[in-house]
Amino acid sequence: MLPSYKIRLTYISLLLFGFATVNCKKWVSISPPETSISNANVYDNDNTAIAVQTGIYSNMMSPNSLTGGGIIDMSFYPALSADELTLWPGNNNQLYSAYYTNLLTNQNTSYADFWNAIYPMIYVTNSAIEGLNASTNLTPAIKQQLLGEAEFMRSFCYFYLVNLYGDVPLVLTSNYLINATVARTPQAQVWQQIINDLKSAQSLLSPQYLDGTLLNSSAGRLRPTKWAAIALLARAYLYTGQWSNAISEADSIINNNSLFSLDTLNGVFLASSTEAIWQLQPVVLGWNTPDAQIFIIPTTGVSTQWPVYLSTNLLNSFEPGDLRRSDWVDSIAIGANTYFYPYKYKINAYNASVTEYEMVLRLGEQYLIRAEAEAEMNDLSDAAIDVNTIRTRAQLPNLLNDIASSQSSLLAAIQHERQVELFTEWGNRWLDLKRTNTINAVMGSPGNAYQNKANGYWNPDWQLYPISLSQLQHDNYLVQNPGY
Amino acid sequence: MASLGPPFGELATKTLRVMKLTALIVLIGCLQVSARGYGQLVTLRVRHAPLEAVLAEIQKQTGYNFVYAKIELESAHPVDLDVHNADIQQVLVQCFKGQPLAYTIEEQYIVVKKRPVEPSVQKSVSDSSKPRTIDVEGKVSDEKGEALAGASVSVKNGKEGTLTNEKGVFVLKKIPPDAVLEISFTGYKLTEVHVAGAKELLAVKLPLANNQLDQAQVIAYGTTTQRLSTGDVTTINAADIEKQSVNNPLLALEGRVPGLFITQSTGLPGSGITVQIQGQNSIANGNDPFYVIDGVPYTSQLLPGLSNILGTSGATGGYSGNISGSPLSYINPSDILSISVLKDADATAIYGSRAANGAIIITTKKGKAGKTKIDFNLQQGLGQVAHKLALLNTSQYLQMRHEAFSNDGASPSLSNGDYDLLFWDTTRNTDWQKVLIGGIADYTNLSGTVSGGNANTQFLLGGTFHRETTVFPGNFQDQRGSFHFNINNVSDNQKFRVQFSANYMADDNHLPTTDLTSAALLLPPDAPPLYNKDGTLNWAPDSSGATTWPYAPNPVNPISYIYSTYTNKTSNLVSDAVFSYLILPELEIKTNFGYTNLQTNETVVNPQSSTAPQNRSFTPSFGVYGNNNSNSWIIEPQVTFKRMISKGKLEFLLGSTVEQNNSRGEQFTGIGFSSDVLISDPSAAAETVPLITTVSTYKYNALFGRLGYNWEDKYLINFTARKDGSSRFGSQNQFHDFESAGVGWIFSSEDFFRKHFPVLSFGKIRASYGTTGNDQIGDYQFLSSYSTTYAQVAYQGTTGLQPTSLANPYLQWEETKKLEFGLDLGILKDRVLVNATYFQNQSSDELLGYILPITTGFNSITNNFPATVKNFGWELSLHSVNIKGKLFSWTTAINLTIPQNSLIAFPNLTTSSYANSLIIGQPINIIRAFHFLAVNDTTGIYQFADSKGNPTYNPSYQTDLIKVININPKVYGGFQNTFQYKGVILDMLFQFVKQIAPNYTVGAYPGPGIEGENQPVSILNRWQESGDNKPVEKFSQNFSLGSAISYYNNSDASYSDASYIRLKNLSLAWQIPNEWVKKIHVETLRVYAQGQNLITVTHYTGLDPESKSFSSLPPLRVITFGLQIGL
């Protein structure tokens, strides 16, 4: 080896050695990966801030069936729990079976656990509210709309939580140190938060439907607006017995003729529905709504994959001539049996163009909210008018006078109207039975729907769903609902 | 002819060559040499041959090594010999008769030196000038004459000592002329040389260590031996790996290493493998050891893929999704020279933050100087499921179903889907285990290597083709081709060295998307045939055209998975280059450059043909495609300094690491293909939709050092320290220090023990204490990151974002404190070696996914676990040469581990998320279970004890989990025997584990009687009528007893003994005698038969007590035959 080469080699080695021995703090600091954005910068930019909120709506529609686990499952599992759906005896899905027979335990809610599905959404809204409030770089109009959407979504989540579970922990921060040891908050306080959030959202949200940039108006009613906040607020007032407030909120929607009008029965669930207050857009390629996929039974009949159909109890509730019975219900005959299924959403074919959107809030319900509140305030004539508006669309005659003239029979008629109008939509029936205290009578008395479900036994405790065991174990301050 | 090392001068070399040549000619002319194995008998006929040549021949025949100074032999007379099968002693007496030389036999070597001169003569010659001390110069080489640099040479019972330089040369000044030199070098036998007044040149050849104690063990940044190690290291060599027909080197370690517990997830090629060293430190993720291949860190987990059929390799830290398979299955076992398992602090602390769970160092084969060797190894065999469960046959199944209906007061009906009773042919009886998992898997392994080189450059080139099929029906297989390359070069002055090695494997694994094991256990025995008569899939449609196959959740003919396949193509490169330069004899600098690249391309296809007819209009054919790439590079400059200080050898190492890992994964789906044929080509899809993209970078930086001092091979002390920085932590906590100390005392070297306990040939006690850490968490956990929401159609045309994790700015390093004591004993000249080790690892601030209630928005946060977990126990091993004869030898090796795990502290446990799952003083992975009482003899339903001991049907998960079940292995180990008779070697390894595990006695959920689920025969022992006392509850055909069986499965009754003893490996090999194979112009020829998982003795009621799964294929029994040819 030549001496000069040898020296060079020594230098190179020393250099390499020296280069790498520097313990460099800079070296181990990394920037976030290109595929993700961190809390630090997500609310610094209009697009990413909007994307967080859009992500909530997108995720609500993401599981490609109604039974995939998420808040949208509200149209499925509570309908199984109530008297709307029948489960095929050959069904082998124990989760369906548990909801259907009301034999939920703290173990078997499995992936259809609303508690587990909703709290992560609340985390997003809480961190959005914190991030948006702290942000200084956003376009003011966008910031305002996003704050409104976040508050609306938070109240939307708590609405279902408080209805399904009773007292629930009221989590209003993103700080996990606080949220990990929360106890249940009394229902009244949760309702108050829902109402406060909705009032605030109502003032923040745009009265116009907006597109994905929040800068332009949009034909699709795919983001919550002022009207969505009002509609949910009307519902919240109804559920909490604040009748006059419920009326005034419903009024402002029903009176907004330029935006909202009752659609034809076959038009209600279309993307172009004039009745829609808030809808969600399907996000699975080639498919319309998940409702159509899970409810419409194909020609091969009921099976482990399509194991639910409408209960005879619900079918028998339709008055003769009710157009909803023919437009919103369809059937399939297999051998000697005919199976009836919800047909509000009609397109279950793959690769059909998307013409139906998932309806979350609609005008029809607002009429029924106002009717009920009016009836409760003994304004029977106005109540009857509102009910008859809905009946007329279904080509049913107006309520008989002897029904319309008595508060109790009118209230019963309104509940009946809700049953046939809002079936398999967002758990309305299950929630109505509970809030009107009719659930024990309907589910528990002999000869009723429940008899067809399991062993003919009903425990009033079952009107609240159980909290899963793991949650009780991970938060020692949580207490289970009675009966589980 | 290799008895002499190269001499120092040109002239000497020439002289020697001439001499050698002459000797050779003489020998060829008059020698009658009979080739034979090593023995102590000599057959030799020479006339007037040089002594050196004769000694060389004796060395060849006997295996004894001659140690002498070249110069001394010059005075020797030629030798005449004629012996046949003569004892070596007798031959030596003849050789040295009348010579001016004397010899002494010391174990495997014979020292030849000048016969001491008569004192009277000496006196007359140089009375006045007789030196009181002399300077001795010598050269140390290995058996092949290659210089050994850095060997320590010291004067026995004196103070002087030195190290050899790069040429193997040492100089010792002013030592007594009658001194005895002790020469030691890692991996070679400790050798003593009598100076006997020779000043000039001693050529010492060190024999390779052939005993357990002195074999080289690769450790972190160096090598050691069991004799001199202060740490807890077990090394498994190529010989043991090659005996086993395995597709993953980790499987070759099973049952062989104390303190190491390995679990194979499935019997499919590429299976996930869980590796635990000295117990489970962390309650959640981060229990993987640190893997290093040829100096390059290697991943312990793969990136998320498209399928989980291969099973996990332990808990996957920080990543979600399907992480299945083992990254080590992309390393070819036959390329491996040795695997070292590093356990205690002394061995692992120099790896600092990454070795809390121990380290596994894999070293691949290197070329050796000498004639170019070509070696082929051809292996062919088969694999099968070794054990089937006893399931109901059709008549038992039908009986169960009818009894269930009668118990429920119901009757079967076609409209309720009771096809098994009313629609199918109930005279059919199929053993679905035989049909679905009863096939024979082919096993082929073909490898070839070429190696060779000269004193300066050595190389090795190897290639392997490996193919395994599955036991499933259908054309599934795993094919891999691998390539291994190694080259070493040293400059003429022995100062500059370059090493390069590369290991590359291309793997193509073709599997079904779903493991058929669960279908094999659950399908009713009267289920229809899989195929129609015309060869098409039989969907057994009912009158409306819907399939009647019951397989939940979607009705599917199980064989349709043959069409819905999973393909994983992976290529893996691990390469490493090392450059070193000896600046001074004591000082070497070295830099290690490593690069790894793991590329995976996966495809899952779901063609229409795999979909039930009624679903086809709703289920478009689709394919999912994934690409993962993970590459890393590392630079590790190091300085080593070795020097004798007084009588001790000091070794100092200082180094630094800079490392970066980059991972990128993309998945997308293609929907709508005009034909099923096109489905594996995403460009043929009508639409492609991106699913997820993961990108991450990991950077790592460290400074490390080690200081070792070895006083006369008697007192050993070793310190290591490391400062680590990792990008996985927030800016406040990026750096952390780890250190350890290890001490050893070889008390058998003390005169006291030598005198009083001569039977004790070796005795060492050692202790070590230190800290290590762990950063096995996902990247960016200190950030709260957002990722795009998964939506095939963008909502309002825009992509959504969602938070993926909670940020934890408080993340800090975890720390495991390891304390260990060991005792090593060698008895009867080290024929029996015993080791006992007590270990105690205490982990605190462990990094894991700390469980949170969902009210926080997430189920967990990557956090430092507030508890302290202790793993402690005993490792015992015994290695014994029972018989060592000329023809027959027998060795036994036993290892045994008694591990224990305990949660020793958890502040505020009762208010934490773990209040209901952990108990102070109990293992961290306990199962809290109900106490099963009995089947109620009146109702026929399972009853359990509530917290007060009263019987209940519905025990509470909050108050009644009163039993604590420890599923950790209580004892595990291996028992190996090797018998050798001439060229035939029989080796058998038994593996044993004492443990409990969930059993399958009462059948599958929701209990016997449900439609479409077969059950084990054990359920026939059921309650039937009032008064029955039976272990299994009554049958039911609906879900009404589902909760009862859930309680049962969470009770102590469902956990039972799953201990087993398994003949893990049996290998029988015959080295065909050389004289036979020479006739066919072959150097060596070996034929062998090997078996893996041959026999399992167990009471366990399940498919396999190792995988303990009822849904994945158990590890297979593999039997192979092979042929190894050396050219």
Side-chain angles (χ1 to χ4, degrees), chain B residues 711-748:
Chain B
W711 179 273
E712 278 201 308
D713 286 354
K714 221 186 260 181
Y715 309 108
L716 314 163
I717 187 156
N718 197 34
F719 296 101
T720 60
R722 188 173 185 113
K723 185 177 187 66
D724 265 349
S726 165
S727 65
R728 287 180 175 157
F729 301 97
S731 57
Q732 295 313 305
N733 293 314
Q734 273 165 349
F735 287 89
H736 196 74
D737 299 332
F738 301 94
E739 48 279 305
S740 78
V743 290
W745 175 36
I746 302 177
F747 56 84
S748 56

Coordinates of all heavy atoms in Angstrom, one line a residue, chain B residues 711-748:
Chain B
W711 N -8.3 -9.7 34.0 CA -7.0 -9.9 34.7 C -6.8 -11.4 34.7 O -7.5 -12.2 35.4 CB -7.2 -9.4 36.2 CG -6.0 -9.6 37.0 CD1 -5.7 -10.7 37.7 CD2 -4.9 -8.7 37.2 NE1 -4.5 -10.5 38.3 CE2 -4.0 -9.3 38.0 CE3 -4.6 -7.4 36.7 CZ2 -2.8 -8.7 38.4 CZ3 -3.4 -6.8 37.0 CH2 -2.5 -7.5 37.9
E712 N -5.8 -11.8 33.9 CA -5.3 -13.2 33.9 C -6.4 -14.2 33.6 O -6.3 -15.3 34.1 CB -4.7 -13.5 35.2 CG -3.2 -13.0 35.3 CD -2.5 -13.8 36.4 OE1 -3.0 -13.9 37.5 OE2 -1.4 -14.4 36.1
D713 N -7.4 -13.8 32.9 CA -8.6 -14.8 32.7 C -9.1 -15.2 34.0 O -9.6 -16.4 34.2 CB -8.2 -16.0 31.9 CG -8.0 -15.6 30.4 OD1 -8.3 -14.4 30.1 OD2 -7.6 -16.5 29.6
K714 N -9.0 -14.4 35.0 CA -9.5 -14.8 36.4 C -10.5 -13.8 36.8 O -11.6 -14.2 37.3 CB -8.3 -14.7 37.3 CG -8.2 -15.9 38.3 CD -7.1 -15.7 39.2 CE -5.9 -16.5 38.9 NZ -4.8 -16.4 39.9
Y715 N -10.2 -12.5 36.7 CA -11.1 -11.5 37.2 C -11.6 -10.7 35.9 O -10.7 -10.2 35.2 CB -10.5 -10.6 38.2 CG -9.8 -11.3 39.3 CD1 -8.4 -11.4 39.4 CD2 -10.6 -12.0 40.2 CE1 -7.8 -12.1 40.4 CE2 -10.0 -12.7 41.3 CZ -8.6 -12.8 41.4 OH -8.1 -13.5 42.4
L716 N -12.8 -10.6 35.8 CA -13.4 -10.0 34.6 C -14.3 -8.8 35.0 O -15.1 -9.0 35.9 CB -14.2 -11.0 33.7 CG -13.6 -12.3 33.5 CD1 -14.6 -13.3 33.0 CD2 -12.5 -12.2 32.4
I717 N -14.1 -7.7 34.3 CA -15.0 -6.6 34.6 C -15.4 -5.9 33.3 O -14.5 -5.8 32.4 CB -14.5 -5.7 35.7 CG1 -15.5 -4.7 36.1 CG2 -13.2 -5.1 35.2 CD1 -15.2 -4.1 37.5
N718 N -16.6 -5.5 33.2 CA -17.0 -4.9 31.9 C -18.1 -3.8 32.2 O -19.0 -4.0 33.0 CB -17.7 -6.1 31.2 CG -17.9 -5.8 29.7 OD1 -17.1 -5.1 29.1 ND2 -19.0 -6.2 29.2
F719 N -17.8 -2.6 31.6 CA -18.8 -1.5 31.8 C -19.3 -1.2 30.4 O -18.5 -1.1 29.4 CB -18.1 -0.3 32.4 CG -17.6 -0.5 33.7 CD1 -16.2 -0.7 34.0 CD2 -18.4 -0.4 34.8 CE1 -15.8 -0.9 35.3 CE2 -18.0 -0.6 36.1 CZ -16.6 -0.8 36.3
T720 N -20.5 -0.9 30.3 CA -21.0 -0.3 29.0 C -21.9 0.9 29.3 O -22.5 1.0 30.4 CB -21.9 -1.3 28.2 OG1 -23.0 -1.7 29.0 CG2 -21.1 -2.6 27.8
A721 N -22.0 1.8 28.3 CA -22.8 2.9 28.5 C -23.3 3.3 27.1 O -22.6 3.1 26.1 CB -22.1 4.1 29.1
R722 N -24.5 3.9 27.0 CA -25.0 4.4 25.8 C -25.8 5.6 26.0 O -26.6 5.7 26.9 CB -25.8 3.3 25.1 CG -26.2 3.7 23.6 CD -26.9 2.5 23.0 NE -27.2 2.8 21.6 CZ -26.6 2.2 20.5 NH1 -25.6 1.2 20.7 NH2 -26.9 2.4 19.3
K723 N -25.7 6.6 25.1 CA -26.5 7.8 25.1 C -27.3 7.7 23.8 O -26.8 7.6 22.8 CB -25.7 9.0 25.2 CG -26.6 10.3 25.3 CD -25.7 11.5 25.4 CE -26.5 12.8 25.7 NZ -27.1 12.7 27.0
D724 N -28.7 7.7 24.0 CA -29.5 7.4 22.8 C -30.4 8.6 22.6 O -30.9 9.2 23.5 CB -30.5 6.3 23.2 CG -30.0 5.0 22.6 OD1 -29.0 5.0 21.9 OD2 -30.5 3.9 23.0
G725 N -30.6 8.9 21.3 CA -31.6 9.9 20.9 C -32.6 9.3 19.9 O -32.1 8.6 19.0
S726 N -33.9 9.5 20.1 CA -34.8 8.9 19.1 C -35.8 9.9 18.7 O -36.3 10.7 19.5 CB -35.5 7.7 19.8 OG -36.6 7.3 19.1
S727 N -36.2 9.8 17.5 CA -37.2 10.8 17.0 C -38.6 10.4 17.4 O -39.5 11.1 17.1 CB -37.2 10.8 15.4 OG -37.6 9.6 14.9
R728 N -38.7 9.3 18.1 CA -40.1 8.9 18.6 C -40.5 9.7 19.8 O -41.6 9.5 20.3 CB -40.1 7.4 18.8 CG -40.1 6.7 17.5 CD -40.1 5.2 17.7 NE -40.2 4.6 16.4 CZ -39.8 3.3 16.1 NH1 -39.3 2.6 17.1 NH2 -39.9 2.8 14.9
F729 N -39.7 10.5 20.3 CA -40.0 11.3 21.5 C -40.1 12.7 21.3 O -39.5 13.2 20.3 CB -39.0 11.0 22.6 CG -39.0 9.5 23.0 CD1 -38.0 8.7 22.4 CD2 -39.9 8.9 23.8 CE1 -38.0 7.3 22.7 CE2 -39.9 7.6 24.0 CZ -39.0 6.8 23.5
G730 N -40.8 13.4 22.1 CA -41.0 14.8 22.0 C -39.6 15.5 22.3 O -38.7 14.9 22.8
S731 N -39.5 16.8 21.9 CA -38.3 17.5 21.9 C -37.6 17.5 23.3 O -36.4 17.6 23.4 CB -38.4 18.9 21.4 OG -39.4 19.6 22.1
Q732 N -38.5 17.4 24.3 CA -37.9 17.5 25.7 C -37.2 16.2 26.2 O -36.4 16.2 27.1 CB -39.0 17.9 26.7 CG -39.6 19.2 26.5 CD -38.5 20.3 26.3 OE1 -37.6 20.5 27.1 NE2 -38.6 21.0 25.2
N733 N -37.6 15.1 25.6 CA -37.2 13.8 26.1 C -36.5 13.0 25.0 O -36.6 11.8 25.1 CB -38.4 13.0 26.6 CG -39.0 13.7 27.8 OD1 -38.3 14.1 28.7 ND2 -40.3 13.8 27.8
Q734 N -35.8 13.6 24.1 CA -35.3 12.8 23.0 C -34.1 12.0 23.4 O -33.8 10.9 22.8 CB -34.9 13.7 21.8 CG -36.1 13.9 20.9 CD -35.9 15.1 20.0 OE1 -35.0 15.9 20.1 NE2 -36.8 15.2 19.0
F735 N -33.3 12.4 24.4 CA -32.1 11.7 24.7 C -32.2 11.0 26.1 O -32.8 11.5 27.0 CB -30.9 12.7 24.7 CG -30.5 13.0 23.3 CD1 -31.1 14.1 22.7 CD2 -29.6 12.3 22.5 CE1 -30.8 14.5 21.4 CE2 -29.3 12.6 21.2 CZ -29.9 13.7 20.7
H736 N -31.5 9.9 26.2 CA -31.5 9.2 27.5 C -30.2 8.4 27.6 O -29.7 8.0 26.6 CB -32.7 8.3 27.6 CG -33.0 7.9 29.0 ND1 -33.5 8.7 29.9 CD2 -32.8 6.7 29.6 CE1 -33.7 8.0 31.0 NE2 -33.2 6.8 30.9
D737 N -29.8 8.1 28.8 CA -28.6 7.4 29.0 C -28.9 6.0 29.6 O -29.8 5.9 30.4 CB -27.7 8.1 30.0 CG -27.3 9.5 29.5 OD1 -27.2 9.6 28.3 OD2 -27.0 10.4 30.4
F738 N -28.1 5.0 29.2 CA -28.3 3.7 29.7 C -26.9 3.2 30.0 O -25.9 3.4 29.3 CB -28.9 2.8 28.6 CG -30.2 3.2 28.2 CD1 -30.4 4.0 27.1 CD2 -31.4 2.9 28.9 CE1 -31.6 4.5 26.7 CE2 -32.6 3.3 28.5 CZ -32.7 4.1 27.4
E739 N -26.7 2.4 31.1 CA -25.4 1.9 31.4 C -25.5 0.5 32.1 O -26.6 0.2 32.6 CB -24.6 2.9 32.2 CG -25.2 3.5 33.4 CD -26.1 4.7 33.1 OE1 -25.6 5.7 32.4 OE2 -27.2 4.7 33.5
S740 N -24.4 -0.2 32.2 CA -24.4 -1.5 32.9 C -23.0 -1.8 33.3 O -22.0 -1.2 32.8 CB -24.9 -2.6 31.9 OG -23.9 -2.9 31.1
A741 N -23.0 -2.7 34.3 CA -21.7 -3.2 34.7 C -21.8 -4.7 34.9 O -22.8 -5.2 35.3 CB -21.3 -2.6 36.1
G742 N -20.8 -5.4 34.5 CA -20.8 -6.9 34.6 C -19.4 -7.3 35.2 O -18.4 -6.8 34.9
V743 N -19.5 -8.3 36.2 CA -18.2 -8.8 36.7 C -18.2 -10.3 36.7 O -19.3 -10.9 36.8 CB -18.0 -8.3 38.2 CG1 -17.8 -6.8 38.3 CG2 -19.2 -8.6 39.1
G744 N -17.1 -10.8 36.6 CA -17.0 -12.3 36.6 C -15.7 -12.7 37.4 O -14.7 -12.0 37.3
W745 N -15.8 -13.8 38.0 CA -14.6 -14.4 38.7 C -14.5 -15.8 38.4 O -15.4 -16.6 38.7 CB -14.8 -14.2 40.3 CG -13.7 -14.8 41.1 CD1 -12.4 -14.9 40.7 CD2 -13.9 -15.5 42.3 NE1 -11.7 -15.6 41.7 CE2 -12.6 -15.9 42.7 CE3 -14.9 -15.7 43.2 CZ2 -12.4 -16.6 43.9 CZ3 -14.7 -16.4 44.4 CH2 -13.4 -16.9 44.7
I746 N -13.4 -16.1 37.6 CA -13.2 -17.5 37.3 C -12.4 -18.1 38.4 O -11.2 -18.1 38.4 CB -12.5 -17.6 35.9 CG1 -13.3 -16.9 34.9 CG2 -12.2 -19.1 35.6 CD1 -12.6 -16.8 33.5
F747 N -13.1 -18.6 39.4 CA -12.5 -19.0 40.6 C -11.7 -20.3 40.4 O -10.8 -20.6 41.2 CB -13.5 -19.2 41.8 CG -14.7 -20.1 41.5 CD1 -14.5 -21.4 41.7 CD2 -15.9 -19.5 41.1 CE1 -15.6 -22.3 41.5 CE2 -16.9 -20.4 40.8 CZ -16.8 -21.7 41.0
S748 N -12.0 -21.1 39.4 CA -11.3 -22.3 39.2 C -9.9 -22.0 38.8 O -9.0 -22.9 38.8 CB -12.0 -23.1 38.1 OG -12.1 -22.3 36.9

